Amino acid sequence: MADTNQVYGSGDQKIPALAEKMEKITDRLLRREEQRQAELEKKRIERENASLKQESADYFSSAFQEARQKIEQKMIGVEQVTRSKMIDYFDEISADIQQLQKFVSDSAMFLPSYDIKVAQEAITKLQQAVTEKRDEKMPKKKFTFKSRRKDTGQSEGTVDVDAAKKNVSICAHMAQVISDTGKMECSVSDKKAEKVSLDETEVNGKDVGLFRLVDSVVKVRGSPSALHINSLTNCKVFCGPVPGSIFVDECVNCILVVSCQQLRVHHTTDTQFYLHVTSRAIIEDTTRVEFAPYTWSYVGIDQHFSATGLERKRNTWDDVDDFNWLASDKHSPNWSLIPEKKRVTSWDP
Amino acid sequence: MGLLTILKKMKQKEKEVRLLMLGLDNAGKTTILKKFNGEDIDTISPTLGFNIKTLEHRGFKLNVWDVGGQKSLRSYWRNYFESTDGLIWVVDSADKRRLQDCKQELHSLLLEERLAGATLLVFANKQDLPGSLPSEEIRQALELDEIKSHHWMICGCSAVTGDNLLLGIDWIIDDIASRIFTMD
Ligand SMILES: Nc1nc2c(ncn2[C@@H]2O[C@H](COP(=O)(O)OP(=O)(O)OP(=O)(O)O)[C@@H](O)[C@H]2O)c(=O)[nH]1
Ligand SMILES: [Mg+2]
């Protein structure tokens, strides 16, 4: 605009229109400064996180090296051990290796998969070396008394990271207890081929549950404090802004059109999300799920958004963390984005 | 000088306190930590590992460990027990469905030998929600009165408004300080 120059050039003129413009510009500058600060803060946090990760990786590798060297030392020490102590000595080494193995499995979650793989290979090598050494020092005689030999067989099996991970997910699955829905103030459960609507008077500020529904459609025109979605098959769920978390567990073949601060998905397959979320969504033990931006609307949704304070401008629908996918350089095969052309843009009101 | 005395002396010098914050997923642990530290709480994601924060408070150096509470992460909690001075157990007071689960996890933690000396603070979080249970009911649901092995207190709070966070943290620090740091 032609008169912007004037605004800059005439700082002490008190013409109302100009003053107003000045204010707008100061405002804008302030906002920019705020954004800049926010950006800096974000960068700082990212840096911190990165260094934290590095720290744990560093700690891991030094602790691992130390333990490994100790074991190698012991292997060299074998030559000095008397025959009668030999069995115990090897037992001790095996126990050390087992402990190291446990340390690696426990660390699996916090470390880049490459580090884990390297550590795993080192352990396998150690185990082989110990087995060879033992065979050399204690060749199996034909007539040993079985009872004299302690069973050290356990240490010989290799445990891989995949197995450790599988263990984790099996635990999660077994312990998955769906407790009584009676305790919830607001829930919809055990329905087949029904259409259910909930409004703000029923759901606002409460934890809401949807349990064991088949072929059904649920529309929640309001803001629950949290939404628990469990065991749904062939369903569609629509929900207004949730200022807390949405949990999705054991759903199959559903379409979930939801907005929330956090999304936590477990044991779910073949499901589409039309999502508004203000943090990174997470999926675990979940496959073939797809994401697109939130497209639902209803009378009063604007008011619900502003009442909950859920940021409408910030939507990280395409930034998903897969708990079962440790590699950061390759995209998880378990989730994808719905191509723009295939996205549903309007739903029944 | 025994090891314990040496440890005591070392801690005394730095007035360092190690707090371990645990609880079911979605309880609000990370939100509490960030709110307490004056950080933005609108963009917090579920924790897929842990966060450590070192905070200065009332002349103490607080090392706060916030570990993710999702079911599959709970078996890793024990990796963080060592040298914990205070355990902060965070409860989502609006999640009535999982209170039983919450009680069991807490009571099994209290059996852990490595947490034996720790002070326990229970935060009945999300008191700002109309659907939340008051701390008195949480106290009953979690059967806190059964706990004889640890010093404990329950405190209703809200990580979103910040209500009572300070109260709880101050209590746990005072309780730990009276045990660890001798007055001289
Ligand atoms: N209304 C309300 N919501 C809260 C409060 N504290 C946390 N929340 C919300 O609850 C959800 C979970 O919070 P987190 O801090 O991520 O929970 P967490 O305990 O760290 O969860 P994990 O990392 O999975 O163990 C978020 O959406 C928070 O905004 C509170 O005091 N009141
Ligand atoms: Mg967290």
Side-chain angles (χ1 to χ4, degrees):
Chain A
M1 285 272 145
D3 43 358
T4 42
N5 284 330
Q6 241 183 327
V7 178
Y8 284 115
S10 51
D12 43 20
Q13 284 185 33
K14 293 283 186 302
I15 306 165
L18 269 185
E20 204 176 288
K21 257 180 210 160
M22 283 284 282
E23 213 168 272
K24 265 192 195 150
I25 287 178
T26 334
D27 239 31
R28 218 162 51 212
L29 285 174
L30 265 178
R31 253 205 316 277
R32 267 188 54 184
E33 175 60 14
E34 275 168 13
Q35 274 168 4
R36 202 180 61 86
Q37 291 289 356
E39 198 55 36
L40 279 177
E41 175 68 7
K42 209 177 104 201
K43 290 231 172 77
R44 191 184 63 78
I45 292 171
E46 274 166 10
R47 261 202 317 276
E48 259 178 23
N49 283 344
S51 75
L52 198 66
K53 265 200 187 133
Q54 192 48 48
E55 257 171 49
S56 42
D58 288 351
Y59 169 74
F60 172 82
S61 75
S62 68
F64 183 83
Q65 287 314 335
E66 201 179 301
R68 175 185 172 177
Q69 273 161 20
K70 267 195 196 142
I71 295 171
E72 283 166 353
Q73 296 280 320
K74 276 190 188 166
M75 299 263 288
I76 296 168
V78 170
E79 307 301 336
Q80 267 80 50
V81 177
T82 56
R83 273 200 82 86
S84 62
K85 297 253 172 68
M86 198 62 91
I87 292 175
D88 288 343
Y89 196 81
F90 274 108
D91 282 356
E92 204 182 294
I93 294 180
S94 298
D96 287 348
I97 295 182
Q98 260 179 54
Q99 210 185 350
L100 189 58
Q101 176 64 62
K102 195 171 144 307
F103 176 59
V104 173
S105 309
D106 284 352
S107 310
M109 160 170 342
F110 307 120
L111 289 172
S113 44
Y114 176 75
D115 295 17
I116 292 294
K117 200 165 147 261
V118 170
Q120 203 56 62
E121 278 164 7
I123 289 182
T124 311
K125 277 208 189 108
L126 272 179
Q127 276 166 336
Q128 276 165 3
V130 171
T131 314
E132 277 168 23
K133 199 74 179 174
R134 185 173 26 211
D135 288 348
E136 175 198 321
K137 291 285 161 191
M138 305 189 300
K140 284 185 186 117
K141 288 186 223 143
K142 285 235 164 91
F143 300 108
T144 40
F145 284 108
K146 279 232 169 74
S147 57
R148 269 211 56 204
R149 303 193 57 181
K150 281 192 203 149
D151 181 18
T152 54
Q154 258 177 321
S155 64
E156 277 163 21
T158 54
V159 180
D160 63 358
V161 189
D162 273 353
K165 268 195 287 173
K166 229 177 260 158
N167 247 338
V168 165
S169 60
I170 289 171
C171 277
H173 200 79
M174 278 193 320
Q176 196 62 54
V177 187
I178 301 167
S179 54
D180 40 342
T181 53
K183 288 202 187 111
M184 297 197 81
E185 272 167 90
C186 179
S187 67
V188 179
S189 54
D190 303 294
K191 294 194 184 305
K192 197 172 163 111
E194 288 200 31
K195 286 194 170 153
V196 183
S197 282
L198 299 170
D199 68 24
E200 56 177 32
T201 58
E202 295 165 282
V203 302
N204 279 11
K206 292 179 200 155
D207 274 29
V208 172
L210 309 176
F211 306 111
R212 299 176 300 274
L213 309 177
V214 181
D215 302 331
S216 297
V217 179
V218 182
K219 290 187 172 166
V220 184
R221 293 183 183 82
S223 296
S225 50
L227 180 63
H228 303 253
I229 304 176
N230 272 10
S231 307
L232 266 55
T233 307
N234 283 327
C235 290
K236 282 185 190 160
V237 175
F238 299 83
C239 187
V242 173
S245 285
I246 296 186
F247 295 85
V248 176
D249 208 338
E250 304 197 324
C251 290
V252 182
N253 217 0
C254 292
I255 297 179
L256 308 176
V257 187
V258 293
S259 62
C260 52
Q261 203 268 309
Q262 295 182 347
L263 177 70
R264 301 162 177 265
V265 184
H266 301 271
H267 315 109
T268 288
T269 52
D270 298 302
T271 288
Q272 290 192 327
F273 290 86
Y274 286 81
L275 178 66
H276 183 98
V277 68
T278 61
S279 66
R280 273 197 322 276
I282 58 154
I283 61 172
E284 184 179 19
D285 303 329
T286 287
T287 51
R288 296 189 301 278
V289 287
E290 297 182 297
F291 294 85
Y294 188 65
T295 45
W296 195 42
S297 188
Y298 58 90
V299 179
I301 193 171
D302 294 340
Q303 202 256 321
H304 289 156
F305 259 102
S306 54
T308 54
L310 190 70
E311 256 186 272
R312 206 164 189 179
K313 285 201 198 98
R314 185 188 161 85
N315 184 5
T316 50
W317 62 276
D318 56 352
D319 191 3
V320 179
D321 259 335
D322 182 354
F323 195 66
N324 304 95
W325 194 249
L326 290 170
S328 49
D329 51 341
K330 261 200 225 149
H331 193 281
S332 157
N334 299 320
W335 66 276
S336 59
L337 307 180
I338 305 175
E340 226 163 306
K341 276 182 215 141
K342 289 192 183 160
R343 292 178 197 161
V344 179
T345 49
S346 72
W347 312 89
D348 299 338
Chain B
M1 213 177 345
L3 184 61
L4 213 67
T5 337
I6 296 173
L7 276 177
K8 242 184 189 179
K9 281 261 151 74
M10 266 167 56
K11 288 208 165 183
Q12 192 177 352
K13 216 157 133 213
E14 298 185 354
K15 282 205 164 184
E16 210 174 306
V17 171
R18 181 174 157 126
L19 300 176
L20 176 61
M21 191 147 60
L22 297 176
L24 303 190
D25 47 318
N26 200 49
K29 299 177 287 298
T30 309
T31 312
I32 287 178
L33 186 58
K34 298 228 163 173
K35 184 73 179 186
F36 193 75
N37 203 29
E39 292 173 44
D40 179 25
I41 59 166
D42 295 331
T43 55
I44 296 171
S45 307
T47 309
L48 285 188
F50 61 95
N51 299 300
I52 321 169
K53 276 252 144 61
T54 305
L55 316 169
E56 298 283 343
H57 182 61
R58 285 177 35 200
F60 290 93
K61 190 173 162 201
L62 310 181
N63 290 319
V64 191
W65 293 71
D66 156 32
V67 187
Q70 294 194 87
K71 205 158 246 158
S72 48
L73 288 174
R74 293 181 205 159
S75 57
Y76 292 86
W77 284 355
R78 63 193 149 76
N79 297 2
Y80 303 88
F81 291 164
E82 213 61 54
S83 33
T84 292
D85 300 307
L87 175 66
I88 303 179
W89 181 256
V90 184
V91 183
D92 176 350
S93 311
D95 190 357
K96 295 162 195 162
R97 200 170 62 104
R98 294 198 296 168
L99 273 181
Q100 195 61 24
D101 200 3
C102 179
K103 180 186 95 183
Q104 276 162 7
E105 293 284 0
L106 173 61
H107 284 270
S108 69
L109 269 185
L110 297 177
L111 298 176
E112 288 289 341
E113 212 169 304
R114 281 176 299 162
L115 292 176
T119 301
L120 170 67
L121 167 69
V122 179
F123 265 140
N125 191 32
K126 308 202 186 180
Q127 290 298 320
D128 59 297
L129 293 174
S132 69
L133 290 172
S135 65
E136 192 47 43
E137 282 181 48
I138 300 287
R139 170 186 176 159
Q140 284 167 17
L142 299 187
E143 296 179 8
L144 295 185
D145 294 300
E146 303 290 307
I147 301 172
K148 309 286 186 234
S149 50
H150 296 67
H151 284 190
W152 62 268
M153 179 182 88
I154 181 165
C155 173
C157 73
S158 165
V160 165
T161 64
D163 278 358
N164 274 350
L165 294 186
L166 213 55
L167 183 91
I169 301 285
D170 280 342
W171 176 81
I172 199 169
I173 292 175
D174 287 339
D175 189 80
I176 292 167
S178 68
R179 281 190 294 111
I180 300 183
F181 311 114
T182 42
M183 313 280 262
D184 54 14

